[in-house]
Amino acid sequence: MSDCLFCKIVGKQIPAKIIYEDDDVIAFNDIRPAAPVHFLVIPKQHIDSLLGCTEQDQVLLGQLLARVPDIAREQGLQAGFKTAINTGEAGGQEVYHLHLHVLGTPQES
């Protein structure tokens, strides 16, 4: 999507503090953090929201979730973290590119 903010981050057209990237997934710090550590994990492929996912997206959704624990540990969240996916207008979604919020406070483990 040419006007999608997150697609522009994936395409390196808009700067972001990228903390993880592979062929399918990218993670970067949220620009309006709601916790001391707050980052987003998104698929590079544009999917509007969780409402738009089908069985064909099952592997990609698994990849998103599977990356979270390692990225969270690298960001100091060894003791735990919160995850959230805001879906649709009623679910508080502001950017219509599927994204997973990871939030937490670093603690000694």
Side-chain angles (χ1 to χ4, degrees):
M1 293 242 146
S2 61
D3 62 340
C4 172
L5 175 68
F6 290 170
C7 285
K8 289 180 180 179
I9 290 173
V10 169
K12 308 293 193 285
Q13 297 168 306
I14 293 177
K17 186 170 180 205
I18 296 170
I19 58 174
Y20 176 84
E21 184 172 8
D22 65 25
D23 290 341
D24 300 310
V25 174
I26 190 168
F28 51 90
N29 287 333
D30 194 298
I31 61 169
R32 292 187 324 222
V37 174
H38 184 177
F39 61 89
L40 307 177
V41 182
I42 70 168
K44 288 185 173 181
Q45 171 190 336
H46 183 87
I47 300 172
D48 283 342
S49 76
L50 199 55
L51 282 171
C53 290
T54 67
E55 282 188 38
Q56 294 174 328
D57 299 309
Q58 191 173 27
V59 171
L60 181 59
L61 293 171
Q63 289 173 332
L64 287 175
L65 288 173
R67 302 304 190 282
V68 170
D70 288 337
I71 301 168
R73 281 193 277 287
E74 289 172 4
Q75 298 301 306
L77 301 179
Q78 297 87 342
F81 50 87
K82 177 181 178 179
T83 57
I85 300 174
N86 299 338
T87 305
E89 184 178 349
Q93 186 174 3
E94 294 178 6
V95 177
Y96 282 83
H97 184 122
L98 177 64
H99 56 285
L100 173 69
H101 292 262
V102 180
L103 306 101
T105 301
Q107 296 178 334
E108 296 294 322
S109 56

